Amino acid sequence: MENCIFCRIIKGEIPAKKVFEDDLVVVIEDIAPVAPLHLLIIPRKHLVNALDLDPADDALIGHVYRTAARIARDKGVAENGFRIVSNNNAGAGQSVFHIHFHLLGGRQLGWPPG
Ligand code: AMP
């Protein structure tokens, strides 16, 4: 999508601190971190949010979660606890309308989230 900031990051048109990438996802550091570890796992496929998923995307979402878990382990936050969060639509805080998953860790994470 031409005007999608995450599509442009994936294409390399906008700089970002990439932590990992493969054929399905790109993982970057969030530009405004809210935790010591705050990464965004971004599927290369432009989907708006969970409402856009269909059965063909099931493997993609599994891959997102396994990638998040592996990175959480690699970054040393797995044992203490980490969170995988996806905001869906504006009322839940979604500001970039390309599906993505926040990986948060490195501090005590409150519940319920705001
Ligand atoms: P959400 O508000 O759930 O849609 O999450 C979007 C996230 O993208 C926010 O945490 C932003 O800080 C982050 N973000 C926006 N633009 C960039 C960028 N250019 N590079 C890295 N992270 C970004």
Side-chain angles (χ1 to χ4, degrees), residues 5-6 9 28-32 40 87 93-96 100 102:
I5 189 165
F6 286 171
I9 285 173
I28 65 169
E29 291 182 4
D30 197 292
I31 204 168
L40 300 173
N87 298 319
Q94 186 174 12
S95 61
V96 177
H100 54 280
H102 300 257

Side-chain angles (χ1 to χ4, degrees), residues 22-100:
D22 63 15
D23 55 332
L24 292 178
V25 298
V26 172
V27 182
I28 65 169
E29 291 182 4
D30 197 292
I31 204 168
V34 299
L37 180 72
H38 187 173
L39 303 177
L40 300 173
I41 297 152
I42 309 172
R44 289 184 184 275
K45 182 176 178 183
H46 182 92
L47 297 161
V48 172
N49 58 37
L51 297 169
D52 227 5
L53 292 166
D54 70 32
D57 301 311
D58 288 0
L60 170 63
I61 300 308
H63 184 72
V64 165
Y65 270 74
R66 286 191 308 99
T67 299
R70 180 177 52 73
I71 294 173
R73 271 197 209 97
D74 290 350
K75 296 288 185 184
V77 303
E79 200 173 319
N80 276 344
F82 64 96
R83 191 169 287 162
I84 302 166
V85 187
S86 191
N87 298 319
N88 293 273
N89 281 340
Q94 186 174 12
S95 61
V96 177
F97 289 83
H98 177 132
I99 195 168
H100 54 280

